[in-house]
Amino acid sequence: MSNHEHNHDHEHDHNHSHDHNHEHSHGALPTILYFIGLGAFILSYFPFGTLTANILATVTIFLSGYHIIIEGFSDTISQTKENRKFTPNVHILMAFAAFGAAIIGDFKEGALLIVIFAGAHFLEDYVEEKSKKEITNLMAMNPTEARLILDNGDTKIVPVGELKIGDHLQVLNGDQIPTDGEILSGFANIDESSINGESIPAEKTTGDFVFGSTMNGQSSFTMVVTKDSSDTVFAKILELVNQSQSNLSKTATKIKKLEPKYVTLVLVSITLYIILMPLVFGHTWYESFYKGMVFLTVASPCALAASDVPATLSGISNLAKRGVLFKGGSYLSNLVDIKAFAFDKTGTLTQGKPSVTDVYFLNENKTEAENYKNIIVAMEKQANHPLATAIIEGIPVTEELDLVVENQIGHGLVTSIQQDLYKIGKAEQFNVLPLQLEQKREEFAREGKTVVLFGKNDHAIGLIAMMDLPNEKAVDMIKYMKQAGIHTIMITGDNEVTGQAIGKTLNVDDVKGNVLPENKAQAVEELQKVYGQVAMVGDGVNDAPALVKSDIGIAMGEGTDIAIDVADVVLMKNDLDQLTYAHRISKRLNRVVMQNITFSMAVVLLLVVLNIFGKMNLPIGILAHESSTILVLLNGIRLLKPLK
């Protein structure tokens, strides 16, 4: 998707080393064998005699440890072949420790090690699955069938995959909309929460676009297919979700690369330890071998391996539920390192459409002013420019007038009422422009407002000022960014005056005006030179090059495919509050991962030191070591909880 070539080399070389990031499913067999082995382990404590107890413990090692042993040896062999160098994993350490304990006659301790390690391993899988499930719930929403309208007018249920662009479909009440398209006839209230997380249904009618996977309300309509099922907005979201599972964070990638080196070091150290202890310190072979097995257990980096991925997946799931989609763990963990946020103005920091801010008449009295407003709205109802809608929606009327209006190109709108000629247009279209009105017009223009004048018989007598108002959530978001020490920049194609006016309202640090869409990427590049890591927030369409250029591209979604294609993060609801929320989750994720790494390394160090001084036996080592892994997992899963 996004070709963030520069610093996005997020090692997509996930060679699926089945270390602790098991991207494979264990199926039911290991679970069944685990419980049979567990039964054997419990039986080994019954008074059957030593031989029977040892046989039962051996059964436990091989059955409960089935997938640990298989993963330990088969993955080490396949990875070693693939990388052309010895690439062991954590599981092989555990398999060796269990076999070693059995060799020196401590069968039950070897079995205990396997039972606890495999149990923790299943728990970790469960945590990862739980985090993924939040995201994969989306998959269940993927439509499978459609009602195709045949040439003779009948309908036939067909698989969505068989639909072609141009096919006509019928959508009945309560149906799931099968694919992206346009309404041909009828109207609908559509629940679009699967696309944008918005709970209020959207009203749609002829000519409006509808999205696959959304749910139709209580009416039925016909539609034409406008996209191949693999190109729908929902298909893009699913693709994005799948990516987020495989794109690991920097920390997880580092841990993954470090693991084989660490395991090799442990294996070499233990071999030397077992050989040298009897020779140098005069220990018995049993003692040195037993201590070696304890060492093997406590030095295994299980907790370290589990310190990042479950936490990152939990953070991504938490955000996915709120309509914030991350293309990968790396973007979520890097968000906290961003030093500057660049924002597109229109539709991102502003509402994206003009609104009336001021209506002003010279020496007005109330009745006259109301009469003028009625005339203005009635005239604008006959016009078709974008400002007309703003005027109709923004000026209240006391009476609906029916006027004959002429749209004179270059002159504006003209109508006559009882010998008086009324006009709406630019300043230069009036013969008389009183000074007071001219001053007011200049004052509004300085505030970045668009001004149209209203006149009677070629005398300008009033004006209407409009502007694209700030997105009310932008103010809080900018305030948060400032508190977090992040520089904020607004980039706009508008003139400097309008840009500065909006920038001032929102309190952004910097405004770059008159920037053409093709120069936005260049503006981002300049910011990178000054601030380092820069995120760009835009609405996707004309911001695509800038989103790609930035370190993290964040698109205001509302279902635009181009945004989903090029961005690293998509705010499906166009809700800037969620950007603040995502930054807070990123901060928390980095905190949790650091806690996990520090804690897991401290536990390993403590257990190794205690073992050297003879203060550690195998059962206590196993319990302490596996408890630390479970604590790390539980700490990570806290990120599933919504922040206050």
Side-chain angles (χ1 to χ4, degrees):
M1 297 273 256
S2 165
N3 56 344
H4 289 223
E5 39 327 88
H6 47 306
N7 44 1
H8 289 290
D9 51 353
H10 296 305
E11 294 101 342
H12 282 283
D13 56 12
H14 305 312
N15 36 28
H16 297 284
S17 56
H18 303 310
D19 39 39
H20 258 62
N21 315 320
H22 331 289
E23 283 108 354
H24 56 315
S25 151
H26 294 311
L29 180 67
T31 317
I32 295 163
L33 293 178
Y34 176 79
F35 283 105
I36 297 171
L38 184 62
F41 180 63
I42 293 163
L43 284 175
S44 73
Y45 281 90
F46 282 69
F48 291 132
T50 311
L51 181 65
T52 313
N54 288 350
I55 290 168
L56 287 167
T58 308
V59 167
T60 301
I61 291 173
F62 282 99
L63 294 188
S64 292
Y66 165 77
H67 73 283
I68 302 293
I69 296 164
I70 296 286
E71 276 178 34
F73 288 97
S74 71
D75 284 4
T76 297
I77 293 164
S78 65
Q79 290 298 300
T80 301
K81 277 184 189 163
E82 198 177 307
N83 299 334
R84 301 213 174 118
K85 64 172 187 220
F86 185 48
T87 315
N89 58 31
V90 176
H91 296 71
I92 205 163
L93 286 185
M94 288 300 161
F96 280 146
F99 293 155
I103 288 166
I104 55 172
D106 292 316
F107 289 91
K108 281 188 186 169
E109 296 188 355
L112 175 69
L113 168 64
I114 283 294
V115 163
I116 295 182
F117 180 71
H121 183 72
F122 282 126
L123 175 74
E124 187 184 333
D125 273 3
Y126 169 74
V127 168
E128 284 197 21
E129 282 312 310
K130 186 168 165 54
S131 324
K132 284 184 181 179
K133 201 145 122 216
E134 304 286 351
I135 307 176
T136 349
N137 281 344
L138 284 169
M139 306 291 177
M141 300 178 194
N142 210 6
T144 52
E145 293 179 332
R147 295 175 206 276
L148 179 65
I149 301 173
L150 304 172
D151 294 341
N152 62 5
D154 292 348
T155 59
K156 176 185 169 193
I157 291 187
V158 297
V160 167
E162 287 179 15
L163 296 176
K164 296 187 296 296
I165 293 171
D167 281 349
H168 288 197
L169 310 177
Q170 184 181 37
V171 180
L172 300 180
N173 56 357
D175 272 0
Q176 186 179 31
I177 294 168
T179 187
D180 289 13
E182 195 181 320
I183 296 183
L184 289 174
S185 65
F187 68 94
N189 279 319
I190 298 175
D191 173 0
E192 295 192 331
S193 57
S194 66
I195 294 284
N196 57 20
E198 190 54 68
S199 51
I200 298 164
E203 288 184 10
K204 305 260 173 157
T205 183
T206 311
D208 286 340
F209 278 100
V210 292
F211 300 110
S213 85
T214 57
M215 298 300 289
N216 184 26
Q218 295 306 310
S219 52
S220 54
F221 61 88
T222 62
M223 62 177 277
V224 58
V225 177
T226 58
K227 271 190 207 153
D228 193 84
S229 60
S230 61
D231 284 338
T232 65
V233 169
F234 194 73
K236 295 252 168 74
I237 292 173
L238 290 190
E239 199 179 322
L240 200 156
V241 163
N242 283 329
Q243 271 186 312
S244 80
Q245 310 272 335
S246 60
N247 169 341
L248 299 173
S249 72
K250 284 184 299 196
T251 317
T253 316
K254 276 182 194 147
I255 292 172
K256 227 173 169 176
K257 285 187 164 168
L258 187 71
E259 190 179 316
K261 292 175 184 157
Y262 182 89
V263 172
T264 309
L265 180 71
V266 170
L267 287 171
V268 172
S269 309
I270 283 157
T271 311
L272 290 171
Y273 183 88
I274 293 170
I275 295 166
L276 293 174
M277 284 312 260
L279 299 176
V280 179
F281 297 102
H283 287 195
T284 64
W285 284 104
Y286 171 81
E287 221 180 346
S288 77
F289 201 88
Y290 184 85
K291 274 194 169 181
M293 292 309 100
V294 177
F295 194 167
L296 198 55
T297 309
V298 299
S300 164
C302 305
L304 180 65
S307 53
D308 184 284
V309 175
T312 305
L313 283 174
S314 298
I316 287 178
S317 312
N318 183 335
L319 288 159
K321 278 202 290 202
R322 299 174 77 102
V324 185
L325 300 178
F326 273 79
K327 278 196 191 167
S330 54
Y331 303 117
L332 180 55
S333 67
N334 293 347
L335 188 63
V336 78
D337 300 327
I338 294 291
K339 298 290 176 269
F341 267 86
F343 297 91
D344 168 51
K345 177 181 82 80
T346 310
T348 301
L349 290 180
T350 64
Q351 293 167 7
K353 60 182 203 312
S355 303
V356 172
T357 54
D358 308 88
V359 182
Y360 174 82
F361 299 107
L362 287 174
N363 46 33
E364 58 175 273
N365 67 49
K366 202 167 174 224
T367 322
E368 215 169 27
E370 278 181 0
N371 182 34
Y372 289 154
K373 284 179 185 174
N374 295 342
I375 294 170
I376 290 167
V377 171
M379 287 173 76
E380 289 293 350
K381 277 186 177 163
Q382 312 282 318
N384 57 4
H385 56 88
L387 297 178
T389 317
I391 290 171
I392 296 161
E393 287 174 2
I395 298 180
V397 292
T398 50
E399 189 187 347
E400 296 275 345
L401 302 177
D402 193 13
L403 304 176
V404 178
V405 179
E406 198 186 337
N407 192 346
Q408 296 180 351
I409 305 297
H411 288 282
L413 298 174
V414 180
T415 188
S416 51
I417 305 171
Q418 301 166 346
Q419 279 81 52
D420 288 321
L421 194 71
Y422 291 94
K423 191 194 291 186
I424 300 173
K426 293 198 173 101
E428 47 276 17
Q429 289 155 12
F430 294 90
N431 291 341
V432 182
L433 180 58
L435 181 65
Q436 194 183 344
L437 212 54
E438 176 58 26
Q439 285 170 340
K440 207 75 181 155
R441 185 179 79 94
E442 283 173 6
E443 178 195 322
F444 288 144
R446 275 197 301 279
E447 291 169 10
K449 295 172 182 174
T450 302
V451 180
V452 291
L453 292 165
F454 172 67
K456 182 177 176 181
N457 302 327
D458 258 345
H459 278 59
I461 56 169
L463 55 77
I464 305 126
M466 285 161 283
M467 87 186 290
D468 183 4
L469 292 174
N471 174 340
E472 54 239 30
K473 293 189 170 172
V475 181
D476 290 341
M477 185 267 305
I478 296 286
K479 189 173 160 194
Y480 168 84
M481 292 293 174
K482 277 186 170 333
Q483 284 167 349
I486 296 166
H487 194 81
T488 53
I489 304 101
M490 182 172 87
I491 298 178
T492 175
D494 278 348
N495 63 47
E496 203 70 46
V497 175
T498 308
Q500 291 292 354
I502 295 271
K504 207 165 160 187
T505 318
L506 294 170
N507 201 14
V508 293
D509 295 317
D510 215 344
V511 175
K512 289 187 186 302
N514 296 320
V515 181
L516 298 171
E518 57 270 29
N519 297 340
K520 280 186 184 175
Q522 198 185 331
V524 167
E525 222 172 319
E526 284 162 14
L527 291 169
Q528 283 167 330
K529 283 176 195 154
V530 181
Y531 298 102
Q533 300 225 8
V534 174
M536 169 75 192
V537 187
D539 57 7
V541 187
N542 59 0
D543 300 318
L547 291 175
V548 173
K549 196 77 213 153
S550 62
D551 295 280
I552 298 181
I554 301 166
M556 305 291 275
E558 294 280 87
T560 55
D561 329 23
I562 183 105
I564 296 169
D565 273 348
V566 301
D568 305 305
V569 184
V570 183
L571 302 178
M572 295 310 292
K573 293 188 212 171
N574 279 16
D575 183 350
L576 290 171
D577 282 351
Q578 303 303 355
L579 182 57
T580 308
Y581 187 83
H583 192 267
R584 289 174 59 210
I585 287 276
S586 177
K587 269 191 352 199
R588 188 167 183 191
L589 170 65
N590 281 277
R591 239 190 353 257
V592 165
V593 171
M594 276 321 293
Q595 286 165 2
N596 285 351
I597 290 172
T598 312
F599 173 71
S600 55
M601 291 316 290
V603 169
V604 167
L605 199 64
L606 176 69
L607 297 179
V608 167
V609 170
L610 288 173
N611 185 38
I612 289 170
F613 289 108
K615 303 287 183 200
M616 179 64 59
N617 65 19
L618 200 49
I620 291 175
I622 294 163
L623 282 168
H625 179 263
E626 291 309 323
S627 304
S628 71
T629 306
I630 289 166
L631 284 172
V632 158
L633 286 172
L634 294 175
N635 193 34
I637 207 170
R638 286 191 309 147
L639 279 151
L640 280 173
K641 278 208 334 241
L643 296 178
K644 290 196 174 57

